[in-house]
Structures are given as C-alpha cells and as structure tokens.
C-alpha cells in the first residue's frame, strides 16, 4: 500500500515535469515565431502575457484603463483559487527554468538542500506591495521583475543573440572540416529563425539572467521563493484552494525529508506549519516521503496565512516607499525636453501614457525586422529603462511593416494597419552639411534620396555648391529635407555611406504623438 501511494505521487511528479516542459516550449515557440512572417499580420504571439494577472492589474491601476485581453488572466486567478499555485509550479516558464537549474545544481552537488524555515519569504510580498503602490501613482515598474517580462526580455536581448553567434562559430567549424551538408542545414535553420543579434545592453541583461539562474545554487528556486511578485499575488489567492496538505500522524516518522526537499519553503511538516501560499504543488514532499504519510485531500476551508511575515509596520513602510518612488523616478531632464534619441515606434502612446503602460517585455524588439528597436537606458529617465526606441544607425523602421504594433501585450504601442502606419510621423531627418558628400567633397551621392520610402519623397535633391581645398567651386546635387513629408523612419541615416557618424540623421522632434516635442517656430 505504501509503495503504491508513493508511485502515485511519483507519477504526478513526472506529469508535472511533462506539463512544465510543454508550457516552456510553447513560450519559446511563440517567442521564436515572433518575427517577420512574410505577411502583414503575425497573429496573437503575445497571448502568454495576457494570462498574467500581475501585468493586467498593475497596468490597469497605473493607466486607469482596462485592457480587454487581460480578461484571460481571470483564468489564472480562478485556477489558483481552486487548485492553489499550480500556475507557478506547473506552468510558469521562468519557474521551470529555475527548477531545471536547481535540479542541475543539486545533481552537481553545488546545491545542498537545507531546512530554511520561513526566513526571507516576505520579500516577494514587499516587492508586490511596492509595485502596486507605485502603480497607484502611475509608476509602472512591474516589467522589471514580472517573470514573463523578465524571461522574454532576457531571451530576446541576450539568449537568442548568444545562440545565433554560437551557431556562426559552429558553422565555421562545419565548413572548415568539410561537413558542408550539415553546415547548410544549420545555416538555413538559423536564417529561418531571423534572430536579431545586435542589442544595446545585451551583455548586461544576459548577466542579470545568469545571476538569477546562479542564485539557484544557493537556494532552490531562489526567484520563486524571495523575489517573484506574481508568485506573491497568486499566494494571496491560493489560501482558498480546495486541496490542502495532510500528514497521517500514524505513518509519519518525523524524518524531515519533506521540509528538506521542499522546492519553495512551504514547510510540509508539521502539518500546522504548512504554508499553502508558498506551496506550488510540485508533489515532491509526497513523492519523497518514505512512509507515504503525505497527501493532498479535498478541504474547501481557507488555509491559515502562516507564511507571510509582513507586519503592519513593514506594509506601511513599503507602501510609503512605493508612493515615494514615483516622484523620485521622475527627476529627469527627459520631462523638461524630450531626448533627441528617444524615437518611439509608430503607434506609441503619448510619452507619459506610454511609460504607464509599457511592461518592458521586449516583444516589439523581437519582432522588428531590421533590428532597429533597442532598449533605452537614460533617454526616457529611470522609469523608462528598457522601453523601446528606434536607433537608425542599427536599423530603420520598415515602411510597409506594422508588426511591432501587433505584438505589444499591453497596448503601449497602439495596433495599426500598414496603411495607417505609413503616415505616422515618429521623428524628423536632418542633413549634416559638414559631413554630407555633395556638400563637402562636391561628389555625387544620392543614397538617402534613393532609399527614402515616402511618396512623394521627403528627401529632395537640389543644386548645391562645394568649395574644394584648391579653391575651386563645384556644383552638385545635394539632399534637403521636406519636413512635411518626412516621417522619421531612419532609413536615410541607416543607409548613409558615411559610416561612423552618418551625414543625415533622425531625431525625435516633430513626432506626432507629442504636442511639446515640436519645432517652436512656424517655418513655412
């Protein structure tokens, strides 16, 4: 009987691993196909985010607008109310990643399980309260630590580029050793994946992910135990779930194995100390119990919240810090005068609304076919770190493309059709006559005019005179900008043959989403 019941929970464990793998690879698949599909429409590849109640809640509080797609997050809450934190233990892709590396570190004996009691568990609730309090003051910081945003951003900006460069190295080896067939197959696969490989801060964001993973060598599922605000939110809802841990006192030999191997410090033993808000229903305690004393029978009564050591004093202090963070995060010159580099994607909301809505997931950067969308650092101030901006020197805004407007999970970038998008002005081009070839050398160059996609063209060629070093004057055709036609797509800057500092460049002034960031004089 004892062995039979242990086998049952072992089967649950294996089933859970299979489901975890399925959700993780579904997440990866949706991320991998978030690229130009050869059509104007990409489909709901951002759907995973809409099952995240923390993203939906904080975005709603910060913007006072409910995004209808987040109705799906109600499914996650309903499942948590009925079954507990199974979303954390069975579905969360970041939780799966941490669980995998915790298992690896245990097998490699870097991680030695130990009984931790309930120390430190309150920190994720502190993070949750801080994020919610900030949202009340329209400061949306959830994207920094929300598990889906964190994982998506890390894979897009660091892991996928790392894999692409790694594949290049493998290709060199394959072709160098004469294995051309294998090389062509691998090369074709990498090409089909259309990874963007150049990102500002890619190394830093990769190091953050590496650090989060390495913490599992100290404590199993460190992120889930101490940092995850989504886990804290679901923990608050899980106390009403109908499956409660029960220990058969007649069978229990008080060996402590259940506490030692608990993935999340839920403290299965003694039964009265079990914390339903921490339990992710991994079944480890029931499977490892040598006497099959642990089970999860139906028990509809709410569980006692013994796991949260968040005193009223801590709660008030954290709430105050969340309130205080809002003005502190806005002490930035960006609020007085817009950064010339802050060229937002077409369809972006006005800047203040954009910062309240964007969750910094990086989906728009993943789908950009030219790699032009990059994470900001200081251009939008502290609250705008890792939000998207166009960097024309790296990539431009493709004229017949509106994919970034389709994949934004929170509506920070308003969805546009291609016909709507081509008329959206996101900035203005300027000619640097001290570097432009016709103006300086008197030589012909029409690259920017040739690539200008608008119709009629925003870049005109007019006769200009260049004074050469020998004193002679040469007449040549040089570019000038028609400000009424230029949309700031950046293709001129990207294609300019002056490589280090292009002779034509784009700034954010004139963007149609802002009434402030405009030329102050009526020129025409």
């Amino acid at each position: 009987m004892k062995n039979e019941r242990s086998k049952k929970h072992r089967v649950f464990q294996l089933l859970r691993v299979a489901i975890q793998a399925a959700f993780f690879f579904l997440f990866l698949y949706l991320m991998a196909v978030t690229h130009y599909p050869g059509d104007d429409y990409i489909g709901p590849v951002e759907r995973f985010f809409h099952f995240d109640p923390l993203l939906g809640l904080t975005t709603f509080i910060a913007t006072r607008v409910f995004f209808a797609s987040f109705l799906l997050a109600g499914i996650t809450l309903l499942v948590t109310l009925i079954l507990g934190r199974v979303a954390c233990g069975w579905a969360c892709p970041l939780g799966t990643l941490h669980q995998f590396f915790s298992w690896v570190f245990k097998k490699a004996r870097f991680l030695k399980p130990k009984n931790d009691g309930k120390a430190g568990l309150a920190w994720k609730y502190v993070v949750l309260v801080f994020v919610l309090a900030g949202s009340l003051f329209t400061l949306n910081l959830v994207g920094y630590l929300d598990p889906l945003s964190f994982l998506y951003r890390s894979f897009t900006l660091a892991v996928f580029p790392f894999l692409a460069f790694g594949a290049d190295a493998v290709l060199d080896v394959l072709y160098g050793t004469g294995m051309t067939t294998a090389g062509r197959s691998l090369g074709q696969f990498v090409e089909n994946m259309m990874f963007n490989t150049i990102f500002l801060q890619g190394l830093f964001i990769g190091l953050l992910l590496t650090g989060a993973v390495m913490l599992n060598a100290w404590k199993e599922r460190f992120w889930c135990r101490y940092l995850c605000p989504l886990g804290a939110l679901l923990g608050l809802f899980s106390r009403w779930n109908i499956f409660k841990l029960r220990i058969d006192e007649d069978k229990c030999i008080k060996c402590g194995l259940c506490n030692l191997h608990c993935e999340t410090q839920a403290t299965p033993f003694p039964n009265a100390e079990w914390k339903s808000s921490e339990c992710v229903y991994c079944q480890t305690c029931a499977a490892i119990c040598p006497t099959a004393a642990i089970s999860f029978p139906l028990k509809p009564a709410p569980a006692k919240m013994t796991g949260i050591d968040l005193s009223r004093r801590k709660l008030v202090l954290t709430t105050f810090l969340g309130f205080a963070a809002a003005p502190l995060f806005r002490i930035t010159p960006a609020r007085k005068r817009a950064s010339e580099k802050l060229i937002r994607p077409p369809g972006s909301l006005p800047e203040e609304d954009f910062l309240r809505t964007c969750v910094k997931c990086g989906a728009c950067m993943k789908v950009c076919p030219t790699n032009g969308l990059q994470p900001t650092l200081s251009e939008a101030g502290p609250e705008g770190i890792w939000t998207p901006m166009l960097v024309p020197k790296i990539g431009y805004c493709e004229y017949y493309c509106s994919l970034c407007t389709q994949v934004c999970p929170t509506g920070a970038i308003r969805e546009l059709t291609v016909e709507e998008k081509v008329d959206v002005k996101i900035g203005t081009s300027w000619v640097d006559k001290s570097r432009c070839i016709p103006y300086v050398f008197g030589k012909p160059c029409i690259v920017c005019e040739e690539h200008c996609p608008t119709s009629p063209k925003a870049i005109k060629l007019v006769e200009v005179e260049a004074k050469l070093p020998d004193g002679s004057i040469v007449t040549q055709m040089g570019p000038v900008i028609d400000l009424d036609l230029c949309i700031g797509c950046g293709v001129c800057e990207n294609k300019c043959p002056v490589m280090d500092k292009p002779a034509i460049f784009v700034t954010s002034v004139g963007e149609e989403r802002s009434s402030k960031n405009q030329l102050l004089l009526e020129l025409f």
Side-chain angles (χ1 to χ4, degrees):
M1 182 65 181
K2 179 176 64 180
N3 291 335
E4 184 179 345
R5 292 191 64 182
S6 295
K7 286 180 180 177
K8 181 183 76 173
H9 288 289
R10 179 61 182 160
V11 169
F12 276 135
Q13 272 195 311
L14 295 176
L15 176 64
R16 172 211 176 207
V17 170
I19 293 175
Q20 280 183 299
F23 275 107
F24 184 78
F25 285 110
L26 175 62
F27 186 81
L28 276 187
Y29 170 76
L30 290 176
M31 201 185 322
V33 298
T34 303
H35 58 66
Y36 178 63
D39 197 358
D40 295 337
Y41 180 67
I42 194 171
V45 292
E46 79 288 8
R47 190 62 76 209
F48 229 102
F49 291 97
H50 297 146
F51 288 90
D52 185 334
L54 182 62
L55 289 182
L57 179 62
T58 51
T59 305
F60 169 67
I61 295 174
T63 64
R64 280 60 164 172
V65 175
F66 183 72
F67 198 60
S69 296
F70 279 107
L71 284 172
L72 293 173
I75 296 175
T76 306
L77 291 179
L78 183 62
V79 169
T80 304
L81 281 169
I82 297 173
L83 302 177
R85 284 178 58 188
V86 292
C88 297
W90 293 57
C92 177
L94 185 58
T96 299
L97 185 71
H98 288 308
Q99 185 55 47
F100 173 75
F101 278 99
S102 296
W103 177 79
V104 170
F105 291 144
K106 279 198 288 190
K107 289 296 181 185
R109 299 184 183 279
F110 291 129
L111 172 62
K112 295 179 180 178
K114 49 183 175 290
N115 195 340
D116 295 304
K118 59 182 181 180
L121 294 177
W123 279 108
K124 60 178 174 291
Y125 295 95
V126 170
V127 173
L128 174 64
V129 172
F130 179 80
V131 168
L132 293 177
S135 298
L136 283 174
F137 275 72
T138 68
L139 179 67
N140 193 349
L141 300 178
V142 69
Y144 295 121
L145 288 179
D146 176 80
L148 297 187
S149 291
F150 181 87
L151 187 62
Y152 202 106
R153 180 175 62 243
S154 300
F155 267 67
T156 296
L157 275 61
V159 176
F160 285 159
F162 170 81
L163 294 176
F165 285 119
D168 285 343
V170 174
L171 283 173
D172 289 341
V173 173
L174 292 177
Y175 284 118
T177 55
M179 292 186 282
T180 54
T181 303
R184 278 195 291 269
S185 299
L186 178 60
Q188 188 63 50
F189 172 76
V190 174
E191 186 177 345
N192 291 340
M193 296 304 292
M194 301 177 69
F195 290 134
N196 288 330
T197 56
I198 306 298
F199 283 108
L200 305 173
Q201 307 173 61
L203 173 61
F204 178 64
I205 289 173
L207 289 176
L208 286 180
L209 176 65
T210 304
V213 168
M214 293 304 295
L215 284 171
N216 293 301
W218 180 31
K219 293 285 178 65
E220 187 170 7
R221 292 184 74 141
F222 183 96
W223 180 285
C224 311
R225 291 187 188 207
Y226 307 124
L227 295 177
C228 185
L230 176 58
L233 179 65
L234 296 181
L236 296 176
F237 282 84
S238 68
R239 66 184 301 239
W240 290 282
N241 85 81
I242 60 176
F243 294 102
K244 305 294 194 307
L245 180 140
R246 186 176 72 86
I247 296 180
D248 187 333
E249 298 293 342
D250 295 332
K251 294 182 178 179
C252 179
I253 58 174
K254 301 177 177 55
C255 62
L257 280 176
C258 52
N259 284 354
L260 196 62
H261 291 277
C262 178
E263 294 183 2
T264 55
Q265 260 173 269
T267 319
F269 179 82
N271 208 158
E273 296 294 323
W274 176 67
K275 298 180 276 291
S276 68
S277 59
E278 304 302 323
C279 182
V280 295
Y281 292 84
C282 62
Q283 305 291 321
T284 300
C285 56
I288 204 170
C289 180
T291 60
I294 297 178
S295 60
F296 289 89
L298 279 170
K299 188 179 179 183
K304 185 181 177 183
M305 299 292 288
T306 56
I308 306 176
D309 182 21
L310 193 60
S311 65
R312 183 176 299 179
R313 187 176 300 175
K314 287 182 181 177
L315 188 64
V316 171
L317 177 61
T318 306
T319 304
F320 171 77
L321 290 176
F323 290 162
L328 285 175
F329 270 70
R330 287 166 182 161
I331 303 175
T332 166
R335 298 183 66 81
K336 176 66 176 177
R337 185 182 285 264
S339 168
E340 75 278 10
K341 296 180 180 178
L342 190 62
I343 306 169
R344 293 296 194 191
S348 296
L349 300 177
E351 187 60 16
E352 289 191 2
D353 294 335
F354 185 86
L355 293 176
R356 295 170 187 168
T357 313
C358 178
V359 294
K360 307 161 185 68
C361 62
C364 54
M365 303 177 209
K366 176 68 178 67
V367 80
C368 181
T370 69
N371 204 176
L373 290 181
Q374 299 287 318
T376 59
L377 184 57
S378 61
E379 292 82 0
E383 64 179 315
I385 294 175
W386 300 337
T387 54
M389 67 174 180
L390 182 71
V391 180
K393 287 179 71 172
I394 298 175
Y396 54 92
C397 185
E398 177 64 48
Y399 192 61
Y400 294 107
C401 171
S402 65
L403 295 179
C404 63
T405 76
Q406 299 175 36
V407 301
C408 181
T410 59
I413 305 175
R414 184 169 49 89
E415 185 167 351
L416 301 173
T417 64
V418 171
E419 292 75 18
E420 293 170 329
K421 180 258 177 182
V422 296
D423 293 326
V424 175
K425 186 177 180 66
I426 59 176
T428 304
S429 295
W430 305 90
V431 177
D432 185 347
K433 294 180 180 177
S434 68
R435 301 178 63 82
C436 183
I437 291 173
Y439 286 94
V440 178
F441 302 107
K443 301 290 185 183
C445 177
I446 59 171
V447 173
C448 55
E449 191 270 347
E450 280 187 321
H451 284 87
C452 181
T454 62
S455 179
K457 288 183 179 292
I459 299 178
K460 316 290 187 185
L461 294 177
V462 299
E463 286 190 350
V464 298
E465 292 183 342
K467 190 171 185 179
L468 303 183
D470 61 2
S472 62
I473 295 178
V474 176
T475 301
Q476 194 53 263
M477 300 299 287
V480 294
I481 308 297
D482 187 330
L483 297 181
D484 290 333
L485 297 176
C486 180
I487 58 174
C489 67
V491 66
C492 51
E493 180 177 343
N494 185 264
K495 301 297 183 183
C496 179
V498 182
M499 289 302 293
D500 59 342
K501 183 181 178 184
I504 188 168
F505 58 96
V506 181
T507 69
S508 63
V509 71
E511 54 178 342
E512 69 176 43
R513 71 190 182 110
S514 171
S515 60
K516 295 181 180 177
N517 191 21
Q518 303 293 326
L519 292 172
L520 296 180
L521 294 177
E522 191 68 36
L523 299 179
F524 305 102

